[in-house]
Short mmCIF file of all heavy atoms in Angstrom, two decimals:
data_model
loop_
_atom_site.label_atom_id
_atom_site.label_comp_id
_atom_site.label_asym_id
_atom_site.label_seq_id
_atom_site.Cartn_x
_atom_site.Cartn_y
_atom_site.Cartn_z
N GLY A 437 -9.22 16.98 -17.23
CA GLY A 437 -9.02 16.00 -18.36
C GLY A 437 -8.48 14.67 -17.98
O GLY A 437 -8.49 13.70 -18.71
N LEU A 438 -7.77 14.55 -16.76
CA LEU A 438 -7.19 13.39 -16.36
C LEU A 438 -8.28 12.37 -16.00
O LEU A 438 -9.21 12.66 -15.30
CB LEU A 438 -6.30 13.56 -15.08
CG LEU A 438 -5.43 12.40 -14.66
CD1 LEU A 438 -4.36 12.15 -15.80
CD2 LEU A 438 -4.65 12.78 -13.40
N PRO A 439 -8.29 11.15 -16.62
CA PRO A 439 -9.34 10.25 -16.39
C PRO A 439 -9.34 9.62 -14.99
O PRO A 439 -8.27 9.21 -14.60
CB PRO A 439 -9.16 9.16 -17.51
CG PRO A 439 -7.84 9.39 -18.04
CD PRO A 439 -7.36 10.73 -17.67
N ALA A 440 -10.53 9.59 -14.40
CA ALA A 440 -10.60 9.06 -13.02
C ALA A 440 -10.85 7.51 -13.12
O ALA A 440 -11.24 7.00 -14.20
CB ALA A 440 -11.71 9.69 -12.30
N GLU A 441 -10.45 6.80 -12.10
CA GLU A 441 -10.66 5.34 -12.10
C GLU A 441 -11.64 5.02 -10.94
O GLU A 441 -11.56 5.75 -9.96
CB GLU A 441 -9.23 4.68 -11.85
CG GLU A 441 -9.21 3.25 -11.84
CD GLU A 441 -7.87 2.68 -11.58
OE1 GLU A 441 -6.89 3.46 -11.30
OE2 GLU A 441 -7.72 1.43 -11.48
N ASP A 442 -12.34 3.97 -11.13
CA ASP A 442 -13.39 3.60 -10.13
C ASP A 442 -12.69 2.66 -9.11
O ASP A 442 -13.31 2.52 -8.01
CB ASP A 442 -14.51 2.92 -10.71
CG ASP A 442 -15.40 3.82 -11.60
OD1 ASP A 442 -15.38 4.95 -11.26
OD2 ASP A 442 -16.11 3.39 -12.57
N GLY A 443 -11.56 2.03 -9.34
CA GLY A 443 -11.08 1.09 -8.38
C GLY A 443 -11.88 -0.19 -8.32
O GLY A 443 -12.91 -0.29 -9.12
N ILE A 444 -11.65 -1.08 -7.41
CA ILE A 444 -12.38 -2.24 -7.27
C ILE A 444 -12.60 -2.47 -5.63
O ILE A 444 -11.73 -2.22 -4.84
CB ILE A 444 -11.66 -3.49 -7.91
CG1 ILE A 444 -12.58 -4.76 -7.79
CG2 ILE A 444 -10.30 -3.69 -7.30
CD1 ILE A 444 -12.06 -5.78 -8.74
N ALA A 445 -13.85 -2.79 -5.26
CA ALA A 445 -14.16 -2.90 -3.83
C ALA A 445 -13.51 -4.16 -3.31
O ALA A 445 -13.55 -5.34 -3.83
CB ALA A 445 -15.69 -3.05 -3.66
N LEU A 446 -12.77 -3.98 -2.16
CA LEU A 446 -12.09 -5.03 -1.54
C LEU A 446 -12.89 -6.13 -0.93
O LEU A 446 -12.59 -7.17 -0.88
CB LEU A 446 -11.06 -4.51 -0.58
CG LEU A 446 -9.86 -3.82 -1.09
CD1 LEU A 446 -8.94 -3.30 0.03
CD2 LEU A 446 -8.99 -4.84 -1.84
N ASP A 447 -14.06 -5.55 -0.46
CA ASP A 447 -14.93 -6.43 0.44
C ASP A 447 -15.84 -7.41 -0.55
O ASP A 447 -16.47 -8.36 -0.13
CB ASP A 447 -15.77 -5.80 1.37
CG ASP A 447 -16.81 -4.75 0.64
OD1 ASP A 447 -16.75 -4.49 -0.51
OD2 ASP A 447 -17.53 -4.08 1.40
N SER A 448 -15.86 -7.10 -1.79
CA SER A 448 -16.73 -7.95 -2.65
C SER A 448 -15.99 -8.69 -3.90
O SER A 448 -16.62 -9.58 -4.48
CB SER A 448 -17.81 -7.15 -3.33
OG SER A 448 -17.37 -6.16 -4.02
N ALA A 449 -14.77 -8.39 -4.00
CA ALA A 449 -14.06 -9.02 -5.05
C ALA A 449 -13.12 -10.14 -4.50
O ALA A 449 -12.67 -10.16 -3.31
CB ALA A 449 -13.07 -7.94 -5.72
N THR A 450 -12.83 -11.10 -5.38
CA THR A 450 -11.90 -12.27 -4.93
C THR A 450 -10.48 -11.86 -5.24
O THR A 450 -10.29 -10.87 -5.96
CB THR A 450 -12.33 -13.50 -5.82
OG1 THR A 450 -11.97 -13.28 -7.17
CG2 THR A 450 -13.76 -13.89 -5.67
N GLY A 451 -9.56 -12.68 -4.65
CA GLY A 451 -8.20 -12.39 -4.87
C GLY A 451 -7.85 -12.39 -6.35
O GLY A 451 -7.22 -11.49 -6.82
N PRO A 452 -8.23 -13.51 -7.11
CA PRO A 452 -8.00 -13.48 -8.56
C PRO A 452 -8.59 -12.27 -9.27
O PRO A 452 -7.89 -11.74 -10.28
CB PRO A 452 -8.63 -14.76 -9.04
CG PRO A 452 -8.58 -15.63 -7.88
CD PRO A 452 -8.84 -14.74 -6.68
N GLU A 453 -9.80 -11.77 -8.94
CA GLU A 453 -10.36 -10.70 -9.53
C GLU A 453 -9.53 -9.39 -9.31
O GLU A 453 -9.31 -8.54 -10.24
CB GLU A 453 -11.79 -10.45 -9.12
CG GLU A 453 -12.74 -11.40 -9.60
CD GLU A 453 -14.15 -11.40 -8.94
OE1 GLU A 453 -14.23 -10.91 -7.80
OE2 GLU A 453 -15.09 -11.86 -9.52
N ILE A 454 -9.05 -9.24 -8.08
CA ILE A 454 -8.23 -8.10 -7.81
C ILE A 454 -6.92 -8.11 -8.51
O ILE A 454 -6.55 -7.05 -9.12
CB ILE A 454 -8.03 -8.12 -6.19
CG1 ILE A 454 -9.30 -7.72 -5.51
CG2 ILE A 454 -6.98 -7.01 -5.95
CD1 ILE A 454 -9.18 -8.01 -4.00
N LEU A 455 -6.29 -9.26 -8.58
CA LEU A 455 -5.02 -9.40 -9.36
C LEU A 455 -5.17 -9.06 -10.81
O LEU A 455 -4.43 -8.40 -11.42
CB LEU A 455 -4.50 -10.73 -9.19
CG LEU A 455 -3.71 -11.14 -7.99
CD1 LEU A 455 -3.26 -12.53 -7.86
CD2 LEU A 455 -2.41 -10.19 -7.78
N ASP A 456 -6.28 -9.62 -11.39
CA ASP A 456 -6.60 -9.37 -12.78
C ASP A 456 -6.81 -7.85 -13.08
O ASP A 456 -6.17 -7.29 -13.92
CB ASP A 456 -7.86 -10.10 -13.26
CG ASP A 456 -8.19 -9.85 -14.71
OD1 ASP A 456 -7.41 -10.16 -15.52
OD2 ASP A 456 -9.28 -9.24 -14.94
N TYR A 457 -7.44 -7.17 -12.16
CA TYR A 457 -7.71 -5.75 -12.29
C TYR A 457 -6.34 -5.05 -12.20
O TYR A 457 -6.13 -4.13 -12.89
CB TYR A 457 -8.59 -5.31 -11.20
CG TYR A 457 -8.71 -3.86 -10.96
CD1 TYR A 457 -9.36 -2.96 -11.73
CD2 TYR A 457 -8.01 -3.28 -9.82
CE1 TYR A 457 -9.40 -1.57 -11.49
CE2 TYR A 457 -7.86 -1.94 -9.61
CZ TYR A 457 -8.59 -1.15 -10.34
OH TYR A 457 -8.58 0.23 -10.28
N LEU A 458 -5.53 -5.40 -11.18
CA LEU A 458 -4.26 -4.67 -10.97
C LEU A 458 -3.28 -4.81 -12.14
O LEU A 458 -2.40 -3.98 -12.35
CB LEU A 458 -3.69 -5.18 -9.67
CG LEU A 458 -4.38 -4.78 -8.39
CD1 LEU A 458 -3.73 -5.41 -7.15
CD2 LEU A 458 -4.42 -3.20 -8.20
#
Side-chain angles (χ1 to χ4, degrees):
L438 191 64
E441 183 182 0
D442 291 334
I444 189 169
L446 285 176
D447 61 355
S448 61
T450 65
E453 288 170 335
I454 294 170
L455 279 177
D456 179 62
Y457 164 79
L458 292 174

